[in-house]
Amino acid sequence: GCDEGRASSAGRSAMASRQVLRGVTVLALEQAVAAPLCTSRLADAGARVIKVERPGIGDFARAYDAFAQGSSSYFSWLNRGKESLEADIKDPADRALLRDMVADGTVDVFVQNLAPGAAARAGLGSAELRELNPRLVTLDISGYGEEGPRAHYKAYDMLVAAEAGLCSVTGGPDAPGRVGVSICDITCGMNGYAAVLQGLLAREQSGEGASLKVSLFDSAAELMAVPYLQQRYTGSPPARVGLSHPSIAPYGAFATRDGREVVLSVQNEREWAALCGALGLAADDARFASAGARLAHRP
């Protein structure tokens, strides 16, 4: 089962600690990061999450590493508090079991992020399941959406980050960089979590379920809104500036006299005045008297 990966409750939100989703059952055909993150948040909020895993193999994230006392750090992080159900979706008996769980109302939410079309080919597509249970809330997580020339592509975090432009604004002047965590997967999973909550709320009001869809690429593209607007209206893309900020200063890591580094983030005039007061500097120096001036005169 997945319960051995249960993490500390220290980081859970107040909403989750109240178990507001107790009584909600989630059936998840999931793997890797995006969908497991979504359903882990549902589990934190009290939902019963039944994670379907392939016989003898399980979620391939189980083999990502062995850093968590011999277990995968990714799997431990994302699958705490869930139940693991070993089932082969290509096997008629196992498939019938899963469909029956939907048809008899056991399942409130269905989440899947298998390869494009895999769930539907197995008779477990969201549209088909909602015919069995119109109150079902379904969430399909894909790489590039349900339509278009890339709809059939598998997706991986760094590839999506590069394609969406995220790598072009990450790193230093000499080379692009990768965000240190699986940011596209994480963002997509959180978008999926929000979508499911909206679907459940809408069901309480209408009595009907919902068909919800999110993708890694759309999630990454949303993260690029500010760089896009800068490019669109100034004609110049934001520069890669490492820990610094392309449009705010002082912002980043600064060397100290004793050879260490401190990180500063000043985002308004009140904070600038406070910093100058702490350092014994003149806050009204014309070179630094406004956000634009500070940006123009940063070293």
Side-chain angles (χ1 to χ4, degrees), residues 15-272:
M15 182 185 76
S17 68
R18 291 197 296 269
Q19 302 285 284
V20 296
L21 294 183
R22 186 174 297 279
V24 172
T25 297
V26 180
L27 182 66
L29 295 181
E30 61 179 20
Q31 56 193 359
V33 176
L37 187 141
C38 168
T39 57
S40 75
R41 297 303 182 266
L42 297 171
D44 283 349
R48 177 191 183 195
V49 177
I50 303 171
K51 179 185 180 78
V52 179
E53 298 195 73
R54 290 168 290 183
I57 301 174
D59 182 344
F60 58 76
R62 286 181 179 270
Y64 273 177
D65 60 52
F67 299 150
Q69 296 183 331
S71 296
S72 163
S73 56
Y74 282 85
F75 190 86
S76 299
W77 165 43
L78 296 171
N79 294 285
R80 60 183 183 268
K82 301 178 184 178
E83 301 173 25
S84 178
L85 172 64
E86 187 176 88
D88 182 355
I89 63 173
K90 297 180 180 179
D91 179 86
D94 287 357
R95 181 168 59 246
L97 171 65
L98 299 178
R99 287 172 60 88
D100 288 346
M101 291 170 63
V102 171
D104 67 14
T106 297
V107 174
D108 299 285
V109 178
F110 173 74
V111 177
Q112 73 86 19
N113 72 328
L114 302 187
R121 288 192 297 271
L124 295 168
S126 291
E128 190 170 346
L129 295 181
R130 289 194 67 227
E131 289 181 0
L132 298 176
N133 179 2
R135 284 180 52 82
L136 184 68
V137 174
T138 64
L139 173 67
D140 294 294
I141 297 178
S142 63
Y144 300 94
E146 304 290 314
E147 301 176 349
R150 291 178 176 264
H152 63 289
Y153 281 26
K154 293 182 180 180
Y156 294 99
D157 184 87
M158 195 182 75
L159 298 181
V160 171
E163 291 164 337
L166 186 58
C167 293
S168 73
V169 296
T170 305
D174 296 331
R178 172 187 174 273
V179 177
V181 295
S182 301
I183 189 65
C184 300
D185 282 313
I186 292 169
T187 304
C188 184
M190 293 304 294
N191 286 342
Y193 173 54
V196 169
L197 295 180
Q198 289 178 321
L200 289 171
L201 179 60
R203 189 179 73 170
E204 288 299 306
Q205 298 168 346
S206 69
E208 298 181 0
S211 176
L212 309 167
K213 303 178 189 302
V214 297
S215 77
L216 267 70
F217 186 84
D218 286 349
S219 299
E222 175 68 17
L223 296 178
M224 290 297 294
V226 170
Y228 164 75
L229 291 172
Q230 179 175 335
Q231 169 76 42
R232 175 70 175 80
Y233 292 108
T234 70
S236 300
R240 289 193 303 269
V241 289
L243 280 181
S244 297
H245 195 286
S247 59
I248 300 174
Y251 191 109
F254 298 86
T256 62
R257 184 178 300 173
D258 60 3
R260 296 185 295 175
E261 287 188 326
V262 296
V263 175
L264 300 176
S265 173
V266 173
Q267 300 199 37
N268 56 56
E269 300 312 308
R270 179 181 56 79
E271 292 175 354
W272 171 246

